[in-house]
Amino acid sequence: MDTPTALWIDSAILAAYLLASFLIGIFANRLLKKDVSTESGYFLGGRSMPGYLTGISNAVNAMNSDVMPTYMGLALAVGLPVCWFYFSRAGLGIFLAGMLFYARWKQLGVATGPEFFAVRFGSDGGRFIRVFTSLYSVLFGIIPWMGAGLLAAHLIFGSFFGYESKALSLLILQPLMLLYVWFSGYAGVLVTNLFQTVIIVVACVTVCLVILSHFGGPAGLTASIQQAMPAETGTAVLSIWPQNGNAYVSPLLVAVWIILTGVGVGANVSVDGQRIIPCKNVREAVKVSIWTQLELFIMLLLVTLPALGLLAQTPELFSAPAAEREAMYGVLVREYLPVGVKGLTLAALAAAVMSTVSTQLNYSAQTLTHDVLGSYRHFSPVRGVLYGRLAMIVVMLLAIVVVYCAGSLIRIAIFITGLLGSSALIGWGYWWYWRINLYSWYAAMLGGPLVYLACFFGLPRIPWWAAQAALSPNHADMMGICAGVVSMALTTVVTLIVTFLTPPDDMDVLTEFYRRARPMGDWKPVQEVLRRRGELRAEPRGLLAGGTVTALCGAAWLCLLIMGLSELFVGRYLEAAGFGTVAALFAVIFKKLFDWHLKRLEA
């Protein structure tokens, strides 16, 4: 039990962080010398941002306050191989998006992701898709995600300080975020995100050092795990490779996650688009993917490594229920960390939720103003800022509703996301195949959910499938993930059939899109029309292949680096040096390929 003096010290550290974040956010537009009186300045920072700043902001946006307990719980059930969970979910996908799409999104000249559909399909049908995409992302993505973060922050703060009122937690965090986003807009989000990233990294590094110090260093931590756990389990926990039979991170699950999260990536953007579009040039836009990936993986590594110390102290956590494991992050903060470090960790949790909520708040206001309201009426850029600020209040109020009704609404959002996720592959078709038309979108959006439901209810009737799902609740979840891959493949087949049975889009719409977006892939009929008009620009050959190889090398470099740091934490210095050497080699190759590929994109 903390003494009153200790509690005051930790509370003072948290209060200092909150005050610093507020002041930095309020004066951010002055620090960056941005004019926030127009939509471009307020929502996009004048489209002159550096890649490192937007990339770091993009990474910390993913670190909602519920990420830390969730990843801690996962690491307790997996050990060192937990890194393969985020490798498979983001390792290749973000690099593919950066190398194949970020330059084109910047060159397209749109202000938001949903505006893409108005360019791709023309003003008539494209307007409906634009509005639908905007509303869907806000109602079923952004608002539940904001609510989940606020609720997770309340559970941690309430447990630490001993109160139950959700309203108190909301009063601590929400007014600060609303005020600095209200006054500084996108500039306030970026600058505070940078500050919040520093707080998160410093806090997580400090926690890792506390854990290592407690066990007498990396070798002591490894020895404690080996003594506390059965030999086979200890070996699995300390191995860097995913283990067969593990219900959370097995080789099969890694492969399935790579497919689910890699297919279609980069073709559509929402909040992440607000990190690409504001960059000052194409090169900085592509760099966003590198900074995002590097910062995200480092933060996730630092969040999960302390779980090894908890396993050494309480080895039964390895097979504990998920809820008990995820609660251990709060236990770690309360019972294992010294005074001062607790306050710093609480500040990191506040930073996580504030970075996410402020980012989502700014983007939701932009897309509701630009894509929904702006699709039906014209207004001045100054009036657009006013409408955006009013939209922020509405979105924040809806997020509060989620906090008080979190269970039902978040489950609904997850279910709807699963229904529509089956159409992800068609997203690449919008960019890479001229024949994908307006009917293709309808087929994917309507057929995808139907195919998903058929797979969800039909596949368990297959004896082998049912047997695998019956092994355990975790195996049932794994088979549900596999059903998503099957539905994605079937939805693609259905969509292509509809595509070839319907006429292509208007050639004038397609040529305008090609001029603006310069898409890769098969656009030969459109290119031929532009050639006859004398308007065709020569493009380098093999951009898709070159970008894919570059992305693979980038992902390999970063994953090897994280594996080397993981080995270093448990005192296997020879293995760490080996991973580090190979990572350095891939980093050199990636740098050369990156410069070569970017010159071709900029040509």
Side-chain angles (χ1 to χ4, degrees):
M1 185 72 178
D2 287 337
T3 64
T5 301
L7 190 62
W8 274 106
I9 292 173
D10 291 325
S11 300
I13 292 173
L14 176 61
Y17 158 75
L18 293 173
L19 178 61
S21 288
F22 175 72
L23 293 175
I24 290 172
I26 287 291
F27 295 105
N29 59 322
R30 297 183 184 180
L31 291 172
L32 296 180
K33 299 179 181 179
K34 299 299 179 184
D35 178 12
V36 295
S37 62
T38 65
E39 281 188 80
S40 177
Y42 187 76
F43 290 119
L44 298 174
R47 298 181 186 250
S48 59
M49 293 296 182
Y52 81 89
L53 189 59
T54 56
I56 290 174
S57 176
N58 199 32
V60 77
N61 170 56
M63 294 294 294
N64 209 351
S65 58
D66 60 336
V67 168
M68 296 182 183
T70 300
Y71 270 82
M72 173 68 75
L74 185 63
L76 288 170
V78 176
L80 274 189
V82 70
C83 61
W84 284 91
F85 182 74
Y86 51 87
F87 288 171
S88 59
R89 297 195 68 188
L92 180 59
I94 294 177
F95 271 109
L96 278 176
M99 300 307 126
L100 299 179
F101 289 102
Y102 284 5
R104 297 317 192 211
W105 277 105
K106 176 61 182 175
Q107 292 166 338
L108 190 57
V110 295
T112 63
E115 188 181 349
F116 162 84
F117 293 102
V119 181
R120 178 63 174 84
F121 297 123
S123 59
D124 296 330
R127 183 171 68 174
F128 168 78
I129 300 176
R130 177 182 180 182
V131 173
F132 173 88
T133 304
S134 173
L135 290 174
Y136 168 76
S137 67
V138 172
L139 294 176
F140 297 107
I142 289 175
I143 291 174
W145 186 238
M146 288 172 59
L150 291 169
L151 180 60
H154 160 70
L155 293 175
I156 295 171
F157 291 158
S159 174
F160 183 83
F161 291 109
Y163 66 86
E164 296 182 1
S165 172
K166 293 180 180 179
L168 181 57
S169 295
L170 294 174
L171 285 173
I172 292 173
L173 295 174
Q174 279 196 310
L176 297 177
M177 292 181 290
L178 186 60
L179 282 173
Y180 73 67
V181 178
W182 180 283
F183 285 108
S184 294
Y186 185 67
V189 171
L190 287 189
V191 176
T192 53
N193 280 178
L194 180 61
F195 174 63
Q196 288 151 358
T197 299
V198 172
I199 295 296
I200 292 173
V201 170
V202 170
C204 290
V205 168
T206 304
V207 173
C208 288
L209 292 176
V210 168
I211 293 293
L212 289 177
S213 175
H214 177 79
F215 290 97
L221 173 61
T222 297
S224 298
I225 292 174
Q226 291 171 335
Q227 292 172 5
M229 308 186 82
E232 184 178 350
T233 305
T235 299
V237 165
L238 293 170
S239 171
I240 195 64
W241 303 104
Q243 303 294 303
N244 280 319
N246 189 285
Y248 299 96
V249 182
S250 66
L252 174 61
L253 276 174
V254 168
V256 171
W257 274 118
I258 289 174
I259 295 172
L260 278 179
T261 58
V263 169
V265 69
N268 299 309
V269 295
S270 55
V271 178
D272 54 328
Q274 208 186 31
R275 299 297 178 270
I276 306 160
I277 296 166
C279 289
K280 59 185 176 182
N281 54 44
V282 167
R283 179 172 289 267
E284 295 302 311
V286 179
K287 285 182 181 179
V288 169
S289 62
I290 303 173
W291 284 101
T292 298
Q293 195 81 304
L294 178 63
E295 181 62 30
L296 179 61
F297 277 14
I298 287 176
M299 288 191 290
L300 291 175
L301 175 71
L302 294 173
V303 165
T304 53
L305 287 178
L308 297 176
L310 294 178
L311 285 174
Q313 295 270 26
T314 315
E316 57 268 23
L317 288 171
F318 183 76
S319 56
E324 182 180 344
R325 287 185 280 103
E326 291 172 2
M328 288 305 296
Y329 194 86
V331 174
L332 173 72
V333 174
R334 288 195 310 271
E335 300 181 10
Y336 288 83
L337 301 184
V339 176
V341 178
K342 289 182 181 179
L344 186 62
T345 306
L346 289 172
L349 288 165
V353 67
M354 291 176 71
S355 63
T356 299
V357 172
S358 62
T359 296
Q360 308 280 5
L361 196 60
N362 183 259
Y363 173 74
S364 59
Q366 181 195 17
T367 189
L368 290 175
T369 302
H370 185 73
D371 297 308
V372 179
L373 187 59
S375 293
Y376 294 98
R377 61 173 299 181
H378 177 75
F379 44 80
S380 67
V382 175
R383 183 60 61 89
V385 174
L386 173 62
Y387 292 153
R389 285 171 168 163
L390 295 176
M392 284 183 198
I393 297 177
V394 175
V395 170
M396 187 65 89
L397 291 174
L398 291 174
I400 293 174
V401 173
V402 172
V403 172
Y404 284 94
C405 310
S408 60
L409 289 181
I410 291 176
R411 281 198 297 269
I412 292 172
I414 292 172
F415 181 70
I416 292 178
T417 301
L419 286 178
L420 299 182
S422 56
S423 61
L425 184 57
I426 299 303
W428 279 348
Y430 301 146
W431 287 86
W432 294 345
Y433 188 34
W434 75 280
R435 194 63 176 77
I436 297 294
N437 56 29
L438 191 61
Y439 300 101
S440 307
W441 185 89
Y442 285 112
M445 291 299 105
L446 297 177
L450 294 176
V451 171
Y452 177 80
L453 289 174
C455 292
F456 185 81
F457 292 108
L459 289 174
R461 296 179 181 275
I462 301 174
W464 176 85
W465 195 282
Q468 294 298 312
L471 292 175
S472 71
N474 293 325
H475 282 83
D477 292 338
M478 180 182 71
M479 298 312 293
I481 296 170
C482 293
V485 176
V486 175
S487 65
M488 181 185 294
L490 293 176
T491 299
T492 302
V493 173
V494 170
T495 303
L496 289 176
I497 291 173
V498 171
T499 298
F500 292 117
L501 292 177
T502 55
D505 287 325
D506 183 83
M507 186 56 71
D508 288 337
V509 172
L510 293 173
T511 53
E512 176 61 22
F513 172 75
Y514 187 89
R515 276 197 297 261
R516 290 181 59 175
R518 296 170 58 193
M520 308 172 197
D522 182 9
W523 288 81
K524 292 179 181 178
V526 179
Q527 292 170 331
E528 184 58 34
V529 171
L530 289 172
R531 183 179 291 108
R532 291 198 299 266
R533 297 177 183 175
E535 301 173 359
L536 181 65
R537 293 179 56 180
E539 296 287 347
R541 299 181 63 180
L543 282 175
L544 269 177
T548 301
V549 172
T550 304
L552 287 169
C553 287
W557 154 67
L558 187 52
C559 292
L560 287 164
L561 173 64
I562 296 299
M563 293 167 73
L565 293 174
S566 298
E567 296 279 26
L568 188 65
F569 190 77
V570 295
R572 290 202 286 256
Y573 303 113
L574 183 62
E575 291 86 345
F579 280 118
T581 301
V582 181
L585 176 62
F586 270 98
V588 172
I589 297 173
F590 171 68
K591 178 63 170 61
K592 293 183 178 298
L593 285 174
F594 177 79
D595 290 337
W596 166 77
H597 181 60
L598 202 56
K599 288 179 181 178
R600 285 153 51 85
L601 287 175
E602 293 175 322

